[in-house]
Amino acid sequence: MAMQRDYEKCRILNYQYTQEQTEQVEFFLSQLFRKNRKLFVVIDDDPTGGQTVHDVNVYTNWNYHVMLEAFKTETVMFYIMTNSRSMTRAETIKVHEEIMDSLNRASKLTNRKYEVISRGDSTLRGHYPTEPDIIRKGLGKTVQKEIIIPFFQEGNRYTLKDIHCLIEDRMLIPVGESEFAKDKTFGFKNSNLKRWIEEKTSGAYPAALVESISLEMLRNLDFEGIEQILTDKKSKKVIVNVTCYMDLKVFAVCYFLALQKGFSFVARTAASWPKVIGGFPEVPYIQGKDIVDGNSSTGGLIIIGSHVSKTTEQFETLKNSGLDINFIEFNQHEATDIRRLEMEVQRVSQLTNQSLAGGLTTVVYTRRKRLDFNTESKEEELIVTNRIADAITTIAAGIEKKPRYLIVKGGITSSDVAVKAFCATKATIWGQVAPGIPVWKLGEGSKYPGMIYVIFPGNVGTKNTLYEIVGSLQ
């Protein structure tokens, strides 16, 4: 696994459970779902985490009264969207302490027990181990272990032999060799998750102490052995190797069995795990005709903020597609001078409103050349990055008429537009428009209640996915 490999020739990825195994696991899960009485709370570090679920509430406000309302709702799961990936470490600590206080108070009043999933990036970026550490402290001594599952099938992220990988250009690549490992704020070196944990904890938690659940255990349906690892006291952290949803379901059986025996866990996972433990069935993708406001004469709006290479590739495909689209570049390099940045925001806002009023599909995109800050401080870079995000939010907030449809590309960007520009405190994750691309319905109290909002993660899809979605909306 140290070398890049053609994923189609990797037998371990193409493993098929027998029909008998599949039926057995599905039967066990269905029984365990019915017996489960715990509520699952997904604390999501950006709004892209609803990539696999549907008809689930997501809250952007976590005060006690809002959380009490969430606990009283007849549901097995809800999301709290923090956008903490855009925060400093001190900010995310404060936010998670506030959330845990609200959850504990709501749980006590409603007498409803809960488990927490810390939903993070499938390419391992984000505030780890800070966020699960704060959650564990908030839950107290009841937590048995921290479970790490970055598997995300919809985004082609897999874990095998303890090494986390992704697929690029048909090649299976260890994530530490990808562009995501070079992230200026959350960069890392190790693809082996045991060594990654040691790296991210600065050696405080050695790789040798991390347990792992192998693919062999899962595929042999070794329920007893897996549950033993989950409930023993040998280690406080366990990683789960997963390359398909059936692997995840086998593990879920053992997870639920442990919950029934009174154990509790903090899970740091990507978006696939909530789908499995929430028992969400497969549903059709949302059609373009259901996203577009057919009564509107205003143009559709696409905002592109992400700067990962996949987003740029998708943007270029859209730009060269020949679709009738007006492209407006926002030069984020002006962020080094606040006055020039204000003038750039005014310019782009005016052009955007003119374009939308004329009924044109409009793409507002950040200049594709990244802004290099020439600083060694990751948090200083994050401050300037957030200044750029605030500028994009100001442009979105200045929209004078509701767009015919809205697509926002990039996690931080889509969060800021929803919360700061459109004042959304609650939404419903309606479903997905394509694999890994969630669709929200904005709730009451937002600028546009009921508005359909397509959240397009920066690192998901093929080079044609953005073009195909926009084409279906045209």
Side-chain angles (χ1 to χ4, degrees), residues 296-333:
S296 173
S297 61
T298 309
L301 177 61
I302 302 108
I303 299 174
I304 299 177
S306 170
H307 277 85
V308 299
S309 60
K310 181 164 287 187
T311 292
T312 300
E313 183 181 44
Q314 291 167 345
F315 164 75
E316 293 293 345
T317 300
L318 180 63
K319 193 172 184 180
N320 297 324
S321 67
L323 293 177
D324 187 14
I325 296 175
N326 184 25
F327 290 86
I328 301 172
E329 182 181 81
F330 167 64
N331 183 9
Q332 76 276 13
H333 290 229

Side-chain angles (χ1 to χ4, degrees), residues 32-92:
L32 291 164
F33 284 142
R34 282 197 285 270
K35 293 179 181 179
N36 176 58
R37 295 294 179 266
K38 281 197 172 182
L39 172 67
F40 295 109
V41 180
V42 184
I43 303 178
D44 203 343
D45 72 353
D46 79 4
T48 66
Q51 293 163 300
T52 61
V53 300
H54 56 86
D55 300 316
V56 178
N57 287 336
V58 54
Y59 300 88
T60 67
N61 183 321
W62 44 84
N63 71 45
Y64 164 65
H65 298 289
V66 173
M67 293 296 95
L68 184 59
E69 173 199 335
F71 267 72
K72 289 180 177 179
T73 303
E74 290 295 327
T75 182
V76 297
M77 179 180 290
F78 69 84
Y79 279 63
I80 302 170
M81 197 276 291
T82 65
N83 201 32
S84 61
R85 213 179 301 171
S86 70
M87 298 176 183
T88 63
R89 183 175 182 274
E91 289 170 336
T92 200

Side-chain angles (χ1 to χ4, degrees), residues 275-406:
K275 177 180 179 178
V276 171
I277 62 165
F280 293 97
E282 297 291 338
V283 295
Y285 292 119
I286 297 168
Q287 300 298 304
K289 63 182 177 61
D290 297 319
I291 292 172
V292 173
D293 182 352
N295 297 319
S296 173
S297 61
T298 309
L301 177 61
I302 302 108
I303 299 174
I304 299 177
S306 170
H307 277 85
V308 299
S309 60
K310 181 164 287 187
T311 292
T312 300
E313 183 181 44
Q314 291 167 345
F315 164 75
E316 293 293 345
T317 300
L318 180 63
K319 193 172 184 180
N320 297 324
S321 67
L323 293 177
D324 187 14
I325 296 175
N326 184 25
F327 290 86
I328 301 172
E329 182 181 81
F330 167 64
N331 183 9
Q332 76 276 13
H333 290 229
E334 302 290 12
T336 55
D337 184 295
I338 294 178
R339 178 56 188 156
R340 290 206 308 269
L341 182 62
E342 290 174 348
M343 292 175 64
E344 177 67 358
V345 168
Q346 291 174 3
R347 180 188 72 83
V348 174
S349 294
Q350 183 178 7
L351 291 174
T352 301
N353 277 311
Q354 289 173 351
S355 181
L356 292 174
L360 295 174
T361 297
T362 305
V363 175
V364 176
Y365 66 98
T366 51
R367 183 177 167 185
R368 290 295 88 192
K369 183 178 179 182
R370 291 185 69 98
L371 174 60
D372 291 322
F373 302 104
N374 298 317
T375 174
E376 294 298 319
S377 171
K378 293 182 178 180
E379 298 212 340
E380 283 182 23
E381 291 179 1
L382 195 57
I383 289 169
V384 179
T385 298
N386 287 335
R387 187 184 298 168
I388 295 169
D390 288 342
I392 296 172
T393 302
T394 301
I395 294 168
I399 294 170
E400 296 169 355
K401 292 184 178 181
K402 177 184 173 183
R404 192 168 184 220
Y405 63 82
L406 177 65

